[in-house]
Amino acid sequence: MALSLAAVTVPLVVSAPATAGLADDRRPAKPWDAYNLSPSSRTIHPTGVFAVQGEVSDPQAVLKGGRTALSGAGASLTLDFGKEVSGLTTLSFAGSDGAQRVGLAFSESSVYAGQPTSDASTGGPRSRDGALSTEVDGRTTYTTPAKYLRGGFRYLTIFLESAGRVELDGVSLHFTPAPKMKDPARYANHFYSSDELLNRIWYAGAYTIQLNTISPKTGRIWEPPAQLWDNTGDIGVGDTILVDGAKRDRTVWPGDLGIEIPAAYAAFNDTESARNALTTVYQHQRDTGELPYAGPMLNKYGSDTYHLWTLAASWDYYTYTGDAAWLAGIWDRYKHGVDFISGKVNDRGLLSITGTSDSVRILAKGENLIANVLLWRVLETGSRLAAAQGDKALASSYAARAAALRTAVDTHLWDEAAGAYKFYPDSTIHAQDGNSLAVWYGLADRDKARRISRNLTGNWNSVATTAPENKGNPGVFSGSMEVNAHFAAGGQAADKAGVDIIRRQWGYMLDHPQGTRSTFWESFRNPEDGCVFCSSYVSLAHAWAAGPTPALTFYVLGLKPTGTGGRTFEFVPHTADLSFARGRITTPRGPVDGSWKIKNGTYSARLTAPPGVEGRAGVPTFGARIKVFVDGRMVWDGTRARGRASSDGEYVYVDGLRGGVSITSERLGGS
């Protein structure tokens, strides 16, 4: 049962804002630094007192290096780090009344904070993880043993198990996420816009991903230990790896990589963690060609969709890096994986799944929508990977099979009346995940994409997207897909829907008093259910929830790599209702910076790219005839090109941009 705030003996002390004190003097004072939640130092301290029970003298003293005394069994002090954190805790005691036993309990949410037992992370039969315990006899320092590293928490409860007295004079945490980053707060990229909430959400998504970037030697042990928890599991190759949740499961789940890899790239230009995660999954491929549902130490199989996510995510990694050596190293396994899943394509030309494990439920066997969209994505991008490998015949085969599959999906799964694809051919459900992926990945043509975007908005409630395929619960993983889908559909209505749902759902998660105020969640329930998480096992820093971070970079800012190895990119802003945005992506050839603003109805932009990199810019027309100028030279006169330019009515596109350029538009009379 959660601690009632009414039960505490000292009123709740409001913590400092999560960003307070993070921008140290070594970091340049840029306006977006105010939103960065990551610490510059690996040593961090709590920012406030959340609750006190029993006899605790001067509870805030320990925050400033003073002495806070706990007296009598059950006396407890719950400290608040002000945000989700992860790592090894150190307690310093100035003294004690003889030998005493002190416990430590951890919690992500305020709902489960303040009790002498930690929230759940092990996955075993227990609903809570219990607490660590140490002996204090005089001046003592205690540091959490490596196996008891706590993957994700905001609140630390320190309580006296024995009947005496201890004096606590220091609490700190060694921050262990993102082990290859010398300064966790020094991001390779940034995002900044006229909307403060969107800025906060971009950085909270980035921080969520960072907390899910760990040493592969600090994964969750499986099977769960009989008591407490153990985070010394060896879960993959290399020195840094992407996992699904900071608290749990601390394991590579291929589905999560579909969101994690773009988000880690958009925020940090971290592709090493992605490579190690993918390599780990490929190393555990079965002789049949089947890829794991989950990597070590869970080592689960039996999911056709997660098999496909590994293959699809391989294209994302290759796009961002052009890593030919890695591709050559996994190529035979990749082809074996394509052959394995292609063997389940039936006489109607659709994939009929038999491995039914999935993200939030067990799927029915048969012609499932998201599985078919993922297979199309694999074949379509696999054709380009095959070409990169010099296999023209296979490239042609994959491309032809992708085209045939698209036709089959449109024939058997499209519902013209609803303007969306069906969950299964005989289903009345129009799944959030599969429809979103069909748009985001480009299977749906422009007309279908925009109709799907409108259909998806019909599933929104007061706080979130919902997933009809998952009993109408809020979509978090599938919601991350949907956010990207609205922008991919394009057009003013869909772009507006994209920013609206980011503000609604991710703003709800970010500012909810029971959340961490810093990270996004694995799942939650509709408000009328009477509980937000309904279980202490739910992860509140979960990678698949970070979809807005790449969406804001790739679409709202508009910077996105298009050619492998960083040779080409696009700068096509989806301005929605914003007045400006600026930011960066980093390619293997260097950083690309872009900014745009709209003032008095006039659009202007600035673009800077490294040598050898070529960009394509899209200038929004806002439904009017416009002239477009690059560095003051007209390239579009309102009707036709005066250079390397073209238009589809919604944008004027300018190709072949290099170095640093300025772009402006001028509205003409009429439309």
Side-chain angles (χ1 to χ4, degrees):
M1 182 177 178
L3 174 70
S4 168
L5 292 183
V8 302
T9 57
V10 171
L12 174 68
V13 177
V14 178
S15 301
T19 54
L22 293 182
D24 66 34
D25 293 338
R26 294 179 296 127
R27 296 205 345 242
K30 301 294 186 182
W32 47 86
D33 287 340
Y35 305 101
N36 191 326
L37 292 156
S38 302
S40 280
S41 170
R42 289 282 175 182
T43 301
I44 58 180
H45 302 273
T47 60
V49 175
F50 175 72
V52 171
Q53 282 205 340
E55 187 177 343
V56 180
S57 66
D58 202 357
Q60 295 189 68
V62 69
L63 301 175
K64 299 169 287 187
R67 296 189 179 189
T68 296
L70 287 74
S71 302
S76 71
L77 171 70
T78 300
L79 298 174
D80 182 1
F81 281 82
K83 61 185 178 182
E84 180 97 349
V85 293
S86 178
L88 300 169
T89 303
T90 295
L91 305 183
S92 174
F93 295 92
S96 67
D97 179 15
Q100 304 295 331
R101 297 298 299 177
V102 173
L104 294 81
F106 304 85
S107 176
E108 288 187 300
S109 172
S110 60
V111 175
Y112 306 106
Q115 296 188 46
T117 183
S118 304
D119 56 13
S121 73
T122 63
R126 305 185 305 275
S127 63
R128 305 293 288 270
D129 280 356
L132 302 178
S133 185
T134 184
E135 183 174 287
V136 176
D137 192 357
R139 178 165 289 279
T140 305
T141 299
Y142 167 82
T143 298
T144 309
K147 71 182 298 183
Y148 297 130
L149 179 151
R150 195 66 185 178
F153 68 98
R154 174 174 169 170
Y155 303 97
L156 169 64
T157 297
I158 304 163
F159 59 95
L160 195 55
E161 296 178 306
S162 52
R165 170 186 169 93
V166 296
E167 292 185 340
L168 181 69
D169 66 354
V171 178
S172 64
L173 178 87
H174 175 65
F175 187 77
T176 57
K180 296 295 290 289
M181 291 182 71
K182 183 177 180 181
D183 178 351
R186 196 173 295 278
Y187 293 9
N189 303 323
H190 62 271
F191 173 86
Y192 181 60
S193 77
S194 57
D195 189 304
E196 182 176 9
L197 179 57
L198 295 183
N199 299 339
R200 292 175 59 218
I201 288 169
W202 190 93
Y203 279 93
Y207 188 54
T208 301
I209 292 295
Q210 186 174 71
L211 289 167
N212 287 280
T213 306
I214 68 172
S215 163
K217 302 300 184 286
T218 62
R220 181 174 70 167
I221 288 287
W222 190 262
E223 298 282 339
Q227 295 179 330
L228 300 175
W229 59 92
D230 188 341
N231 282 326
T232 58
D234 189 344
I235 60 165
V237 303
D239 299 316
T240 179
I241 200 165
L242 292 172
V243 295
D244 62 324
K247 180 179 73 173
R248 53 142 285 264
D249 298 324
R250 298 180 69 81
T251 301
V252 179
W253 286 87
D256 301 59
L257 297 179
I259 303 299
E260 277 185 287
I261 291 177
Y265 170 76
F268 309 111
N269 188 35
D270 178 14
T271 55
E272 180 181 356
S273 302
R275 183 190 67 226
N276 290 336
L278 288 167
T279 299
T280 296
V281 176
Y282 278 114
Q283 285 183 349
H284 289 79
Q285 186 177 38
R286 285 178 163 169
D287 291 343
T288 60
E290 182 184 5
L291 292 162
Y293 176 39
M297 298 183 69
L298 291 177
N299 294 316
K300 293 178 179 288
Y301 294 84
S303 173
D304 287 342
T305 51
Y306 273 47
H307 172 96
L308 286 159
W309 276 114
T310 296
L311 300 172
S314 299
W315 168 254
D316 292 333
Y317 170 75
Y318 185 71
T319 297
Y320 304 146
T321 64
D323 189 344
W326 178 83
L327 179 61
I330 59 93
W331 186 238
D332 286 343
R333 295 178 183 271
Y334 179 94
K335 292 187 294 182
H336 198 20
V338 175
D339 290 344
F340 168 82
I341 200 69
S342 296
K344 301 186 182 187
V345 174
N346 63 21
D347 292 343
R348 297 209 296 181
L350 291 172
L351 169 60
S352 184
I353 65 169
T354 58
T356 57
S357 295
D358 194 56
S359 57
V360 293
R361 75 281 193 199
I362 301 298
L363 296 167
K365 292 182 179 181
E367 299 160 324
N368 172 268
L369 173 61
I370 191 173
N372 277 277
V373 175
L374 282 167
L375 178 56
W376 176 84
R377 173 73 166 180
V378 168
L379 293 169
E380 194 270 335
T381 58
S383 175
R384 287 178 269 175
L385 293 176
Q389 284 294 103
D391 192 335
K392 294 181 180 180
L394 187 60
S396 177
S397 172
Y398 282 173
R401 288 153 61 184
L405 180 57
R406 174 186 287 191
T407 298
V409 170
D410 284 344
T411 298
H412 300 294
L413 290 168
W414 179 252
D415 185 339
E416 178 65 21
Y421 291 105
K422 294 177 285 186
F423 193 27
Y424 290 84
D426 58 353
S427 175
T428 59
I429 294 172
H430 303 93
Q432 180 189 28
D433 55 8
N435 275 285
S436 296
L437 275 195
V439 178
W440 183 18
Y441 285 165
L443 180 146
D445 62 29
R446 190 168 85 165
D447 175 67
K448 286 186 173 69
R450 294 185 178 180
R451 293 182 68 190
I452 290 170
S453 174
R454 291 194 295 272
N455 178 279
L456 289 168
T457 62
N459 295 324
W460 295 0
N461 63 25
S462 62
V463 299
T465 67
T466 65
E469 71 275 24
N470 185 31
K471 303 177 183 178
N473 287 318
V476 181
F477 183 26
S478 52
S480 284
M481 302 174 207
E482 179 177 332
V483 164
N484 286 272
H486 288 300
F487 295 118
Q492 293 181 5
D495 289 347
K496 183 64 163 54
V499 294
D500 284 352
I501 198 56
I502 291 175
R503 291 170 180 139
R504 183 183 306 201
Q505 178 164 330
W506 279 264
Y508 176 83
M509 285 191 277
L510 184 56
D511 288 332
H512 198 286
Q514 294 178 10
T516 69
R517 301 290 182 100
S518 56
T519 54
F520 297 125
W521 313 337
E522 175 186 15
S523 63
F524 61 103
R525 301 291 290 271
N526 290 313
E528 59 269 19
D529 290 338
C531 55
V532 180
F533 312 119
C534 306
S535 167
S536 71
Y537 189 60
V538 172
S539 173
L540 302 192
H542 204 84
W544 71 18
T549 296
L552 290 168
T553 292
F554 295 162
Y555 294 109
V556 173
L557 172 62
L559 280 178
K560 180 166 60 174
T562 55
T564 57
R567 292 185 295 272
T568 60
F569 67 93
E570 68 177 24
F571 179 40
V572 183
H574 293 240
T575 59
D577 56 4
L578 279 67
S579 61
F580 74 82
R582 62 184 295 188
R584 168 181 288 181
I585 60 172
T586 301
T587 76
R589 296 168 182 254
V592 178
D593 290 284
S595 63
W596 59 262
K597 65 180 179 180
I598 302 167
K599 186 174 182 180
N600 299 324
T602 299
Y603 174 89
S604 60
R606 180 74 187 173
L607 185 63
T608 305
V613 176
E614 184 173 290
R616 183 189 203 220
V619 180
T621 67
F622 304 114
R625 291 178 60 238
I626 61 171
K627 293 180 180 179
V628 175
F629 303 83
V630 175
D631 290 336
R633 181 176 63 86
M634 185 187 297
V635 296
W636 182 261
D637 67 5
T639 305
R640 61 185 183 276
R642 297 285 189 89
R644 295 179 63 181
S646 60
S647 180
D648 63 3
E650 295 182 352
Y651 290 89
V652 172
Y653 299 98
V654 185
D655 294 302
L657 299 176
R658 294 176 177 269
V661 297
S662 63
I663 305 166
T664 57
S665 70
E666 179 182 311
R667 187 180 180 121
L668 300 174
S671 60

